[in-house]
Amino acid sequence: MSQPHSASPNRVLLALMPVALAALGWLDIASVQPNRIVPGQGMNLWAIMGPAGVLLALLPLAVGGLAWRATTLRMRWALCLVVLAMLALPFGLAAFCRAFIDPDAPYARVGLAAGFWVLLFVFMLALIEFKASLRLPRGSWWGLGALMLGAWSLSLASGALDKLALMQEYLGRSDKFSEALVYHSLLVTSAVGLSLVMGFALALAMRRWPLLERGINGVLSLIQTIPSLALFGLLLAPLAWLADRYEWLSALGVQGIGAAPALIALVGYSLLPMTRNTFVALGDVDTGIIESARGMGMSPSQIFLQVRLPLALPVMIEGVRITSIQAIGLAAVAALIGAGGLGTFVFQGLGQAAMDLVLLGALPIIAMAVIVDGLLTALAGALRQGVRHD
Amino acid sequence: MAPNKRHHPRTGGLGMRNDPAILSDSDLLTWRHWSAPLGWFAALGMLLVAMPHLGSLFAALDPEAREPIYRRDAFVDLLANHLLLVAGASSIAILSGVSAAIMVTRPWGRDFLPLVSQLASIGQTFPPVAVLALAVPWLGFGGLPTVVALVLYGLLPVVRNTLVGIGEVDPATREAARGMGMSPRQVLWQLELPLAAPVILAGIRTSVTVGIATAAIGSTIGAKTLGDPIIAGIINGNTAYILQGAILIGVLALSIDSVFARLLPSRR
């Protein structure tokens, strides 16, 4: 068991550290590529650091040793080691770039190899385990996250990592990247905003006319079942036809290819989780509370706005969370039908077999989803706590 | 095509727990019970047969297209390959997902429970397209990276729902079963898994639905699926191809989903 005060071994860390050790020992950590397309020469720890690399291998051994008798104190030390390693990662990469890239070769670049990703993954898993077994205050995890973000942005901003293949792709199209980032977020925000308003209206309608509930639920789950690529395709034809037919529609920017079908499809997919969560949230409020509000002489609209809505808010935010994460991923697919956004880089990269371009699109999409997930979960938690204390 | 979406007992919120645990066998064996899925599959079959002969209809829809019907591969082959990818990936995902969830809920594997459950919920926030794209540098183009991405992504809802389902079994019931002399293995097979079955099935449903959608996008990385006509249509500006692919994928997804809808107890 992961009890913080027992001195039994932490088996999770004991299982993870050999994986880290194996990645350090056998897998290529990074590679040196002469240009964009050529795969490049992979290098493992020994090739990079020589005998000094053995010192690095001591790190997982030390964490494993500390985890052998996992008292709270020893686990805290192990956590410190893992955090230090993760903070050192960007600086280590910067040192690698300086040592192995010839400054006179303009197209040479550093690729990240399997070993790097495995190490990163193992360290993340270790952090999750620390989070579960060491009950540190919530703020300290936010602090650690900020620290790591700081280390990465510092080394990225200083230009020390410019020779990283990912950065080379970025530097070649930094304008387009920020444009795509803004556009992606705009697409997601407007889809979530629209579906929030529409979902709220639908949920209210379902509360007023219970007969509607079945029909609305049926239609919305039907839309959700249709794969996104197909729905985009199905919208493309009628929209192109409409825009062809009516001048004013095409003047508004409606056309078969582009943002219009993407936005319609995103709203269509978002409506089910939004409507369902709002409906359930509004209905779940304790009738006793509503009764006592009525007894205090509140009018129906006051009861709705001051009692029912605030109490329903955490569950509604859960709906917003699911919808946003879903929309972030779907907006990436929408790039296929010319809607723009970060998915453009993914599909361009796949088309050109330039994997770092794929990464340039995929990593921010994942980061966006994870950050939105964390923020909205925290918001719902805070609101829930507020309700409990009042 | 979506993380954490519907059929999720915790987020869907429509009181899965109050429903009858599972349909009785006699309900499952009547023709009437299966009429909706049968109808959908019949529609799918008819579309497959009729599609190549609808040239004049599609030519009317998109008069500029030189060739109104997608002919690079037969629709039947594309459908079979699409289904094969999803079926293969889903069976691996279901088998390993359910076993992993069972392992971490046993006394000897419980150390790994927080890690696995956290991983399953964080992983579900990763968009399937990103997972699909990230499989390419590692495995190249074609069917293999698609299957791997489908397995990785399909695992998460199965693991998560199995954990939720087993976790929702009342400890008192478990104690009672053990008190009656049931072995741990019997408790698992005769108590925990049957009680968790509806929630696990809901997870499998999400996993398969996402799989069908993601496999369609797999045609951008060289897997042969029903997404091919759509991608070809987008590239060539041929709306007829797009419609043919989109209609078939849509009907396929609805057919498979209607089977799950019949296996799961209704939400009423």
Side-chain angles (χ1 to χ4, degrees):
Chain A
M1 301 287 303
S2 19
Q3 287 158 351
H5 296 292
S6 70
S8 56
N10 182 309
R11 286 160 51 195
V12 178
L13 288 180
L14 284 180
L16 286 175
M17 287 309 132
V19 181
L21 206 58
L24 279 172
W26 282 280
L27 290 177
D28 290 341
I29 307 287
S31 67
V32 175
Q33 305 172 357
N35 61 43
R36 184 162 180 231
I37 305 299
V38 176
Q41 179 70 47
M43 300 177 84
N44 61 15
L45 192 63
W46 187 264
I48 297 169
M49 295 181 71
V54 178
L55 284 176
L56 265 191
L58 288 177
L59 180 90
L61 284 178
V63 174
L66 285 169
W68 190 258
R69 284 202 314 117
T71 58
T72 308
L73 184 68
R74 291 165 65 108
M75 284 293 275
R76 284 197 177 155
W77 276 110
L79 172 65
C80 284
L81 282 180
V82 170
V83 169
L84 274 180
M86 290 198 71
L87 287 178
L89 222 46
F91 300 105
L93 272 178
F96 180 87
C97 292
R98 272 176 74 107
F100 288 92
I101 294 291
D102 182 1
D104 297 328
Y107 298 111
R109 54 192 66 200
V110 171
L112 301 170
F116 176 85
W117 296 113
V118 171
L119 273 182
L120 202 62
F121 186 60
V122 168
F123 284 155
M124 295 298 279
L125 292 183
L127 282 183
I128 294 175
E129 173 59 22
F130 281 121
K131 192 166 180 239
S133 59
L134 277 177
R135 270 159 216 141
L136 295 183
R138 213 182 167 73
S140 54
W141 294 106
W142 287 102
L144 278 183
L147 212 59
M148 272 169 223
L149 205 67
W152 277 100
S153 29
L154 191 72
S155 37
L156 283 175
S158 70
L161 292 179
D162 279 357
K163 282 295 172 191
L164 223 55
L166 193 61
M167 281 305 283
Q168 290 279 307
E169 296 288 352
Y170 167 72
L171 292 172
R173 47 177 74 68
S174 55
D175 291 348
K176 272 193 193 158
F177 181 82
S178 23
E179 208 175 281
L181 194 66
V182 169
Y183 194 83
H184 203 104
S185 340
L186 213 63
L187 199 59
V188 171
T189 328
S190 38
V192 172
L194 274 176
S195 62
L196 184 62
V197 174
M198 289 168 69
F200 197 73
L202 281 177
L204 286 185
M206 277 157 64
R207 282 177 62 77
R208 171 144 294 194
W209 300 288
L211 276 179
L212 279 179
E213 193 194 329
R214 244 190 122 95
I216 291 178
N217 264 330
V219 172
L220 294 184
S221 24
L222 200 74
I223 298 176
Q224 278 256 324
T225 312
I226 300 174
S228 52
L229 191 60
L231 191 56
F232 288 137
L234 288 173
L235 285 171
L236 225 93
L239 282 176
W241 183 78
L242 280 176
D244 223 31
R245 211 88 206 274
Y246 301 103
E247 285 283 315
W248 59 275
L249 271 179
S250 52
L252 275 175
V254 174
Q255 38 177 214
I257 290 255
L263 192 62
I264 295 175
L266 286 186
V267 171
Y269 283 121
S270 306
L271 275 178
L272 179 74
M274 205 68 109
T275 311
R276 193 177 273 173
N277 270 56
T278 310
F279 181 72
V280 170
L282 290 175
D284 261 0
V285 176
D286 191 352
T287 40
I289 298 176
I290 303 292
E291 280 306 314
S292 52
R294 200 168 292 148
M296 283 162 65
M298 287 170 101
S299 71
S301 64
Q302 272 179 326
I303 291 178
F304 186 83
L305 287 176
Q306 293 173 17
V307 180
R308 200 181 276 279
L309 201 56
L311 285 175
L313 217 50
V315 182
M316 283 174 61
I317 287 181
E318 173 70 10
V320 175
R321 183 186 72 87
I322 299 171
T323 309
S324 316
I325 294 171
Q326 183 183 304
I328 290 171
L330 289 171
V333 183
L336 273 178
I337 54 162
L342 291 165
T344 322
F345 299 131
V346 174
F347 293 113
Q348 255 177 28
L350 288 175
Q352 302 169 2
M355 289 313 145
D356 295 298
L357 186 54
V358 175
L359 277 184
L360 184 66
L363 290 183
I365 296 173
I366 292 177
M368 209 190 251
V370 171
I371 290 172
V372 167
D373 179 58
L375 286 180
L376 287 177
T377 309
L379 181 62
L383 281 174
R384 220 167 249 147
Q385 217 136 59
V387 166
R388 219 171 279 148
H389 285 304
D390 283 347
Chain B
M1 235 352 282
N4 299 354
K5 60 178 180 192
R6 76 218 108 111
H7 322 314
H8 198 290
R10 262 167 49 187
T11 51
L14 281 180
M16 179 80 80
R17 257 156 293 177
N18 304 331
D19 294 328
I22 196 156
L23 296 168
S24 65
D25 289 346
S26 56
D27 280 346
L28 285 172
L29 289 175
T30 57
W31 279 104
R32 266 189 59 158
H33 186 78
W34 293 101
S35 56
L38 283 173
W40 278 115
F41 277 104
L44 183 62
M46 282 194 305
L47 274 174
L48 275 179
V49 176
M51 197 71 93
H53 305 293
L54 293 178
S56 48
L57 178 67
F58 282 109
L61 280 173
D62 185 7
E64 289 145 45
R66 244 181 296 143
E67 168 65 59
I69 298 290
Y70 183 82
R71 295 202 191 276
R72 200 172 304 158
D73 291 284
F75 288 118
V76 184
D77 294 345
L78 291 177
L79 175 76
N81 212 17
H82 198 124
L83 276 178
L84 206 66
L85 283 176
V86 176
S90 292
S91 3
I92 301 175
I94 293 166
L95 270 180
S96 41
V98 173
S99 354
I102 289 176
M103 271 190 249
V104 299
T105 47
R106 299 307 99 189
W108 42 268
R110 209 168 282 265
D111 288 3
F112 290 83
L113 177 61
L115 186 68
V116 170
S117 90
Q118 279 280 323
L119 201 62
S121 52
I122 295 175
Q124 274 190 311
T125 62
F126 283 36
V129 200
V131 179
L132 195 68
L134 292 181
V136 173
W138 176 34
L139 296 161
F141 285 85
L144 185 66
T146 312
V147 170
V148 169
L150 288 183
V151 170
L152 282 182
Y153 203 80
L155 263 175
L156 304 170
V158 176
V159 170
R160 187 166 180 178
N161 276 35
T162 310
L163 287 178
V164 170
I166 292 182
E168 274 176 359
V169 175
D170 190 351
T173 319
R174 208 174 280 145
E175 276 311 305
R178 217 161 276 157
M180 282 164 61
M182 282 167 100
S183 69
R185 179 184 292 261
Q186 280 175 322
V187 172
L188 173 67
W189 283 101
Q190 294 174 19
L191 182 82
E192 289 180 315
L193 285 183
L195 281 178
V199 190
I200 299 177
L201 208 56
I204 294 176
R205 182 185 192 174
T206 309
S207 165
V208 171
T209 314
V210 176
I212 293 175
T214 312
I217 304 168
S219 68
T220 57
I221 62 168
K224 230 174 221 336
T225 71
L226 283 173
D228 283 13
I230 300 185
I231 303 295
I234 290 171
I235 292 170
N236 304 328
N238 187 330
T239 318
Y241 288 2
I242 299 179
L243 273 181
Q244 288 152 25
I247 291 170
L248 284 176
I249 298 177
V251 175
L252 171 69
L254 292 173
S255 311
I256 305 272
D257 194 64
S258 67
V259 175
F260 282 106
R262 290 293 141 169
L263 283 175
L264 281 164
S266 77
R267 290 187 172 280
R268 296 286 89 209

